[in-house]
Amino acid sequence: MPLSSYLDAFPMLAERVYLHPSAQVIGSVHVGEDSSVWCNAVLRGDVNEIHIGRCSNIQDLTMGHVAHKSSNKPQGAPLVVGDYVTVGHSVILHGCRIGNECLVGMGSIVMDDAVIADRVMLGAGSLVPPGKTLESGFLYMGRPAEKIRPLTDAEIAWLRYSAEHYVRVKDNYLGATTP
């Protein structure tokens, strides 16, 4: 079973969520409607909260975790992923905030208190250091991630398309009929 409690916290799933049987969703995790968590992905909300928005996908081998609350950092660092977000294979998201209609490329790492604004494309293998903010409407790449160029209208439209494609795929896995 991919769902596990931690102390008194148990994951909450909205309607039409798909969890692959090999995924692990632990503790204080909320997954929004029509979202999906794929093969061997881990969302570990043990010492803080994880919120995944609607129509987002957390792809294979992704690790999502949080930073605990402390006297130095009373809120800790929860993990918040917006709506219509595509998180590629083997990504590490740790105590960061991802806006709506973003793509986090395969193998990327986004660290504590980093903020990715709405409509950002983060290239594969990138590293977003702690506390860095990525501005809306741009492609970022590198280690550390640097602003490369503005996104085109077609790329911005593709961000939403990518997430909607994964909604259709998860519907197939759930046995639903999609147009």
Side-chain angles (χ1 to χ4, degrees), residues 6 24-29 41-52 58 61-69 73 76-81 87 91-98 109-114:
Y6 176 75
Q24 293 293 309
V25 180
I26 303 163
S28 186
V29 178
V42 175
L43 296 175
R44 186 159 60 96
D46 49 9
V47 297
N48 212 323
E49 298 177 352
I50 297 176
H51 295 273
I52 307 298
I58 309 298
L61 300 170
T62 289
M63 166 54 94
H65 196 226
V66 293
H68 70 281
K69 300 171 184 177
K73 198 171 185 180
L79 171 59
V80 178
V81 175
V87 177
V91 167
I92 297 172
L93 301 176
H94 201 281
C96 57
R97 192 170 289 272
I98 312 294
I109 300 172
V110 186
M111 299 178 71
D112 287 8
D113 302 315

Side-chain angles (χ1 to χ4, degrees), residues 16-76:
R16 300 177 309 278
V17 167
Y18 174 72
L19 297 181
H20 188 272
S22 67
Q24 293 293 309
V25 180
I26 303 163
S28 186
V29 178
H30 178 269
V31 181
E33 71 181 45
D34 280 320
S35 290
S36 53
V37 182
W38 295 92
C39 310
N40 296 303
V42 175
L43 296 175
R44 186 159 60 96
D46 49 9
V47 297
N48 212 323
E49 298 177 352
I50 297 176
H51 295 273
I52 307 298
R54 64 188 178 87
C55 300
S56 291
N57 58 89
I58 309 298
Q59 294 179 18
D60 314 59
L61 300 170
T62 289
M63 166 54 94
H65 196 226
V66 293
H68 70 281
K69 300 171 184 177
S70 68
S71 59
N72 294 342
K73 198 171 185 180
Q75 299 306 311

Side-chain angles (χ1 to χ4, degrees), residues 1 10 29 31 51 54 58 74 76 85 87 98-99 103 107 116 121 132 135 140 144 154-156 169 172 177:
M1 184 78 169
F10 195 80
V29 178
V31 181
H51 295 273
R54 64 188 178 87
I58 309 298
V85 174
V87 177
I98 312 294
L103 180 135
I116 297 179
M121 189 178 294
K132 183 167 183 160
E135 183 182 349
Y140 288 82
E155 288 168 329
I156 290 170
V169 172
N172 291 336
T177 304

Side-chain angles (χ1 to χ4, degrees), residues 76-148:
L79 171 59
V80 178
V81 175
D83 299 335
Y84 296 94
V85 174
T86 296
V87 177
H89 310 294
S90 297
V91 167
I92 297 172
L93 301 176
H94 201 281
C96 57
R97 192 170 289 272
I98 312 294
N100 300 317
E101 296 183 17
C102 290
L103 180 135
V104 179
M106 296 181 289
S108 293
I109 300 172
V110 186
M111 299 178 71
D112 287 8
D113 302 315
V115 175
I116 297 179
D118 295 348
R119 296 181 188 94
V120 167
M121 189 178 294
L122 181 63
S126 295
L127 170 66
V128 182
K132 183 167 183 160
T133 297
L134 306 188
E135 183 182 349
S136 180
F138 288 90
L139 168 66
Y140 288 82
M141 295 178 68
R143 288 185 176 248
E146 297 294 335
K147 187 188 296 184
I148 303 298

